[in-house]
Amino acid sequence: MTVKQLSMPELADACRELGVTNVGLWREPVQSHGLEASAKLVRDAGLTVTTLCRGGFFTAIDPAERKAALADNRRAIDEAAALGTEVLVLVSGGLPAGSKDLHGARERIADALGELGPYAERHGVRLAIEPLHPMYASDRCVVSTLTQALDLAERFPAHQVGVAVDTYHIWWDDRAPAQIARAGASGRIHTFQLADWTTPLPEGVLNGRGQIGDGAIDMRAWQGYVEAAGYTGPIEVELFNDGLWARDGREVLAETAARFLEHTA
């Protein structure tokens, strides 16, 4: 999504030119290109798919909506398995219209994980709960901290459910380093993502994720926390930014790779 202006074939070509060997994918471009075609494309390009994003949106109260969400998440697990990735990232969902019950919404997330965890395990996929910054709690994700994410994940085996650690969403939380250690101790850090925090935020706030090095987050410090917790997996960069999307995608990808090298250990 950092370079969503590139088609899947263009992305594969640009990664090959830059020597990028890992890529995190989103479902929409994969579906647009075709699942089987996308799987073949990344294999032929020598790319490893680190994660697929996203599943989730489990908080609906209406039984029909809940059933549809579970079916869509099973499809997402199938897609992750077809792409060869072990991790499906979950954005858990916000409050249903008219509801003010955060606790009830989080319990519905737990109910969904209980159904989906065994299905994911059978397909060789792990579910990664991603806590989102509290500004998204009402409409996108009632899981706002790593503490909340781990409280949910720890109800299930670590090989079924863990967490996604994203600097953009947790950098403000002084409890997060200890929670990263907690996650690492039980093998629940399923992915680690970088994006910077820049202000002012754009209208709508969703597309405000800054290029690495442009904002307030110490990337090396957070990398140190996850590595001290035992994480040795890939590090992803995930930027939602209208300014970046308006530029040439290959240029943005090259810049992002350079910033990654500059701002990580």
Side-chain angles (χ1 to χ4, degrees), residues 132-145:
L132 267 58
H133 190 281
M135 64 184 173
Y136 298 111
S138 65
D139 65 341
R140 191 163 294 270
C141 188
V142 296
V143 180
S144 301
T145 66

Side-chain angles (χ1 to χ4, degrees), residues 14-230:
C15 286
R16 185 161 38 214
E17 290 172 6
L18 287 169
V20 175
T21 58
N22 296 323
V23 62
L25 296 178
W26 272 62
R27 295 179 69 195
E28 290 84 352
V30 167
Q31 292 169 352
S32 178
H33 187 67
L35 177 59
E36 291 184 6
S38 295
K40 183 178 187 303
L41 179 70
V42 294
R43 285 196 306 269
D44 291 348
L47 289 168
T48 297
V49 180
T50 49
T51 64
L52 181 66
C53 200
R54 56 179 165 63
F57 288 87
F58 300 129
T59 55
I61 297 172
D62 178 78
E65 291 180 13
R66 180 179 183 277
K67 181 179 180 180
L70 290 171
D72 183 62
N73 276 271
R74 291 188 185 95
R75 286 192 295 272
I77 291 166
D78 295 342
E79 292 164 11
L83 291 165
T85 181
E86 298 179 353
V87 179
L88 175 67
V89 178
L90 305 178
V91 175
S92 297
L95 286 172
S99 174
K100 303 181 187 298
D101 184 4
L102 285 168
H103 176 74
R106 292 178 185 134
E107 285 304 305
R108 289 191 293 279
I109 294 168
D111 290 344
L113 292 170
E115 292 196 36
L116 293 170
Y119 184 85
E121 180 181 2
R122 290 195 296 272
H123 288 76
V125 174
R126 296 174 292 160
L127 306 176
I129 304 169
E130 181 173 12
L132 267 58
H133 190 281
M135 64 184 173
Y136 298 111
S138 65
D139 65 341
R140 191 163 294 270
C141 188
V142 296
V143 180
S144 301
T145 66
L146 274 175
T147 302
Q148 293 167 351
L150 285 166
D151 286 347
L152 284 167
E154 287 173 351
R155 302 189 193 188
F156 310 99
H159 62 270
Q160 290 183 1
V161 185
V163 297
V165 177
D166 187 325
T167 59
Y168 182 77
H169 294 301
I170 66 169
W171 73 279
W172 56 275
D173 184 358
D174 59 4
R175 298 166 297 177
Q179 296 306 303
I180 289 172
R182 171 187 170 189
S186 57
R188 293 184 189 272
I189 303 176
H190 290 349
T191 186
F192 176 45
Q193 298 177 335
L194 305 181
D196 217 335
W197 184 277
T198 57
T199 49
L201 294 172
E203 183 178 357
V205 306
L206 183 61
N207 297 339
R209 299 165 72 96
Q211 176 62 276
I212 297 172
D214 284 353
I217 302 176
D218 185 340
M219 300 298 169
R220 286 192 182 90
W222 290 99
Q223 182 184 2
Y225 296 140
V226 298
E227 290 181 351

